Amino acid sequence: RGLGIDLGVSWQIDEKLLLMAGASDLGSITWDFNPKKYTSNGKFAFEGVDIIDLLGEKDNIAISDTLLDIIKVKTESESYNTTLNSRLHVGGFYELNSRWSFNALYTFQKRFDGYANQLSLSALMKFSLLHAGISYSISKNNFTSFGIYSKLNAGPFSLYLHGENITGFFNPLKSRTVGLRLGTTLGF
């Protein structure tokens, strides 16, 4: 059982500037449906099994798990909680004119193994049927994440293509991540 909540708020400062803040995945999970905890205390020495001694035996070959015989494992039920990997977002959108708009987004994420920060900047140019944009993101140990975005509008249908860290497409063996999304939307 668990509960996660997403919250957000936006402020329209004027007709060109929009600011936003949000939090996602606030909550925790309670692990209480038959969870098992295995413990063993002490020092143990295991010399192994000599397979050559077993090769000459043709009848009644039985290899038992001698590790379980040596290491006494205690099993018990124990419920526990884990918090979700929450994210906090702060950003803004600025519409320069009917053709150009700019976005900025800062994300702070709490992870099981620590924290992560990311800053993303993007520019979008609108044509009558086509929107095209570029983005740049900076995060820990990744200072060259460039992205592309395009969206083709045809009535209620839209076709979009989004690429993240596109420099990785040209050198995939040295890139940690590369992303490409292709999709469609239907709106009424």
Side-chain angles (χ1 to χ4, degrees):
R1 295 176 296 114
L3 176 67
I5 297 174
D6 298 339
L7 302 170
V9 63
S10 62
W11 299 277
Q12 187 75 45
I13 304 299
D14 59 31
E15 62 186 36
K16 294 182 178 273
L17 181 62
L18 173 76
L19 299 178
M20 61 80 63
S24 54
D25 295 332
L26 299 173
S28 65
I29 298 174
T30 300
W31 303 91
D32 60 358
F33 182 72
N34 200 22
K36 297 292 183 194
K37 177 182 175 182
Y38 300 98
T39 56
S40 178
N41 294 320
K43 294 183 181 182
F44 309 99
F46 178 64
E47 296 177 15
V49 176
D50 191 350
I51 195 73
I52 294 177
D53 291 341
L54 296 173
L55 291 178
E57 182 71 32
K58 298 205 188 282
D59 298 323
N60 299 328
I61 298 176
I63 301 173
S64 65
D65 192 352
T66 56
L67 285 175
L68 286 178
D69 294 337
I70 294 172
I71 302 173
K72 302 299 181 199
V73 177
K74 181 181 173 186
T75 304
E76 57 188 318
S77 292
E78 183 177 305
S79 299
Y80 61 97
N81 282 341
T82 54
T83 58
L84 299 177
N85 288 328
S86 302
R87 292 184 307 265
L88 303 174
H89 316 278
V90 177
F93 170 81
Y94 181 74
E95 187 171 20
L96 182 65
N97 53 41
S98 63
R99 180 158 289 189
W100 284 97
S101 61
F102 302 94
N103 300 284
L105 179 66
Y106 171 74
T107 301
F108 173 80
Q109 182 177 12
K110 177 184 170 282
R111 296 183 177 171
F112 294 121
D113 60 347
Y115 300 97
N117 299 290
Q118 182 175 5
L119 175 64
S120 299
L121 306 170
S122 64
L124 180 67
M125 187 173 191
K126 298 176 188 173
F127 301 97
S128 61
L129 297 178
L130 177 71
H131 298 177
I134 58 171
S135 65
Y136 173 72
S137 296
I138 185 170
S139 58
K140 182 179 180 181
N141 299 326
N142 188 359
F143 304 104
T144 59
S145 183
F146 293 95
I148 57 169
Y149 172 81
S150 62
K151 178 181 168 188
L152 181 62
N153 299 312
F157 293 99
S158 296
L159 179 66
Y160 69 88
L161 173 68
H162 179 242
E164 295 175 2
N165 197 20
I166 59 171
T167 56
F169 283 111
F170 304 109
N171 197 355
L173 298 178
K174 290 189 177 182
S175 179
R176 292 178 17 177
T177 60
V178 174
L180 187 62
R181 294 182 187 99
L182 176 65
T184 185
T185 59
L186 174 63
F188 295 100

